[in-house]
Amino acid sequence: MPNGHVIRGSRVGSAPVRPAERYEPAPCRPVAYWCRNGHQTQIRIAAEAEAPPVWDCPRCGHPAGQDAQNPPGRARSEPYKSHLAYVKERRTDAEGEAILAEALAALRRRRGTG
Ligand SMILES: [Zn+2]
C-alpha cells in the first residue's frame, strides 16, 4: 500500500493558505564599500538600519568605507614609493650630492677630463 500517497492526499483542500508576507525578508537597501585596494563590496542592510561606517573587505581583509575616493586605512598604510623615494629616505640630500659628485668625478677620470 503506497502510504506516501495517502498522507499527501489527506491534506488536499484543507491546507491553509500560507501567509507569504510573513516569510519575506525585511526591506533592504544596498550599501557599497571600497577598500584601499580598490575592491568594491556591496552589502544589504535593513532599510531602516544605519549602515556601518566601515566594513571589512572580504577579499583582502582591509577596512572598506563608503567613500570610494577615500577608503579608510590609507593613512596607516604604507604609501606607494618609487625606488628613488626609498633611496632618498636612506640618504640625505647632502649625501646624494656627494655621491653624485663622486660619480661625476669618476666619469671625468675615465674620460681623462678631470
Ligand atoms: Zn580589499
Side-chain angles (χ1 to χ4, degrees):
M1 185 169 175
N3 284 331
H5 179 75
V6 170
I7 290 169
R8 269 211 301 265
S10 68
R11 290 184 58 190
V12 168
S14 63
V17 177
R18 182 189 278 181
E21 63 268 20
R22 282 183 62 181
Y23 296 92
E24 293 222 338
C28 288
R29 61 190 175 99
V31 181
Y33 291 88
W34 288 266
C35 78
R36 66 169 182 258
N37 290 329
H39 302 142
Q40 185 185 347
T41 306
Q42 197 172 82
I43 64 168
R44 298 182 69 82
I45 64 167
E48 70 272 16
E50 195 172 328
V54 173
W55 192 265
D56 283 346
C57 174
R59 290 174 65 181
C60 67
H62 287 299
Q66 294 179 57
D67 186 351
Q69 304 304 317
N70 187 28
R74 175 166 280 174
R76 289 199 309 271
S77 74
E78 185 81 356
Y80 173 78
K81 283 184 191 169
S82 66
H83 177 71
L84 183 61
Y86 278 108
V87 170
K88 281 182 173 176
E89 197 172 75
R90 287 198 301 267
R91 303 183 195 282
T92 65
D93 282 351
E95 284 174 333
E97 293 283 330
I99 289 165
L100 184 64
E102 194 175 292
L104 285 173
L107 192 65
R108 290 196 187 102
R109 277 200 297 275
R110 277 211 299 275
R111 285 178 173 175
T113 57

